[in-house]
Amino acid sequence: MKKINKNEIATFGENTRLVIGGREPDDYHGFVNPPVYHGSTVLAPTTRDLLDHTQRYAYGRRGTPTTDALEQALRAIDGSAGVVLCPSGLAAVSTALLSCLSAGDHLLMVDSAYGPTRHFCDGQLARFGIETTYYDPLIGEGIEALLRPNTKAVYLETPGSQSFEMQDVPLIAGIAHRHGATVLLDNTWATPLFFDAFGHGVDLMIQAGTKYIVGHSDAMFGAVSANRKAWPALKGFYGDAGLCAGPDDVYLAMRGLRTLGVRLRQHQESALRVAKWLAKRPEVLRVLHPALDGDPGHAIWKRDFKGSSGLFSIVLQPAPEAAVEAFLDGLKFFGLGYSWGGFESLAIPFDCSHYRTATTWNPGGPGVRLHIGLEDVEDLIADLDAGLARFRAARG
Ligand SMILES: *Cc1c(COP(=O)(O)O)cnc(C)c1O
């Protein structure tokens, strides 16, 4: 295999970049994958080398060949100036926020954000003297009126990972930048393959790698990628906070990343088939999936996104909780569990009404979020069909 020049990688297609990014077989006796370096101490050959830091690696927390390989592989697909690897998606969220906010600053946070992200803002950021205001995900140019002289960051997540509202990222980013604020985006749902965050004005992109990057429900991982402007502060905070991701999880994330393209395209295709089937069912009031024609976020999705993943929600006809439980409890292929992005299908009931503060959540019936895994769609549809029959029977 001929050695590929680093600058040339950007000219290849995304699947090629997923496969070759960060790989240096010549450094590892020809083995396709880098070894998992478990290490804290790095030994120097002489006192001079130790004191003058002449070696590429100095200490485990500061990086290893394994972490370098994953950082380069992630950069090969997201086009960022730099990436930091975090022990979880939530650690990536907190790292990104703390890298660009200081005491006395104001943060604009989308009302549809991942629940623990809100909890971090309301508890920890407040403790550090950083004030958070929540805004409607559909605010559009209305964001301008919420910006204050001390608003240093605007945080987006699109679509919302339960309610699936689509945000106008370039519009909000443009306004935020005119006021000097940093733009952060949680891009876990689309990944860089389906949404080019930096091309749409984002400064700091967060991914809960636990979901689609790892892809096999076997590791916790997160990443923050930065453009040139946001990179120095991100790198500085990450180093000072002593953050690093465990070597085995870094390896599992890299292994998952190689197949992200094929997995995501299959999640997309299967989820669309299931979503379209559900949309025709009388038990289902609404399907919340931005890639469906009639969805309120469809126009923005079509304009800005290159694909959709395996996660979407449905709103059932009004029914007692017991009917929703009858639907969920008998499912054969849909596990009942949090998280998503693995090879397997999942289902959870959800209700955004207890935590929303800038908007009200009143969709007209109980919500169920589905993750469509890599099983055969016919089997998944048969499973849901039987579940909806149980729902009907329990609803009376
Ligand atoms: C799961 C999730 C996170 C947090 O990731 P963890 O790895 O579970 O900490 C952050 N954002 C979104 C949108 C998520 O779905």
Side-chain angles (χ1 to χ4, degrees), residues 24-208:
E24 304 282 356
D26 290 352
D27 292 353
Y28 311 112
H29 311 282
F31 281 96
V32 169
N33 293 296
V36 182
Y37 280 84
H38 282 102
S40 51
T41 301
V42 178
L43 303 177
T46 69
T47 311
R48 253 310 110 213
D49 287 303
L50 186 78
L51 297 177
D52 292 350
H53 304 288
T54 60
Q55 298 179 100
R56 168 116 183 254
Y57 299 100
Y59 188 51
R61 179 179 7 92
R62 292 269 176 198
T64 68
T66 318
T67 62
D68 275 2
L70 179 56
E71 284 166 20
Q72 282 172 33
L74 289 168
R75 287 185 56 198
I77 58 153
D78 69 17
S80 63
V83 181
V84 295
L85 311 181
C86 298
S88 69
L90 187 57
V93 169
S94 63
T95 298
L97 285 166
L98 289 170
S99 78
C100 64
L101 289 164
S102 308
D105 288 350
H106 175 239
L107 162 69
L108 285 172
M109 169 61 64
V110 65
D111 206 27
S112 49
Y114 177 65
T117 298
R118 295 181 70 109
H119 200 261
F120 176 75
C121 297
D122 297 342
Q124 304 306 323
L125 289 186
R127 194 166 66 85
F128 294 131
I130 296 158
E131 189 189 347
T132 301
T133 300
Y134 292 93
Y135 68 89
D136 183 342
L138 306 179
I139 198 164
E141 57 197 19
I143 196 86
E144 184 125 37
L146 298 181
L147 281 147
R148 304 179 191 167
N150 65 336
T151 305
K152 291 290 160 60
V154 178
Y155 188 109
L156 301 91
E157 184 177 320
T158 183
S161 70
Q162 292 189 325
S163 45
F164 294 90
E165 298 92 338
M166 290 296 296
Q167 294 195 257
D168 192 331
V169 180
L171 177 71
I172 294 175
I175 294 168
H177 285 154
R178 279 211 303 282
H179 291 261
T182 299
V183 176
L184 299 86
L185 169 76
D186 184 330
N187 199 24
T188 302
W189 183 83
T191 84
L193 295 189
F194 287 165
F195 183 66
D196 173 14
F198 298 109
H200 289 88
V202 169
D203 300 306
L204 287 166
M205 176 182 71
I206 295 145
Q207 289 184 83

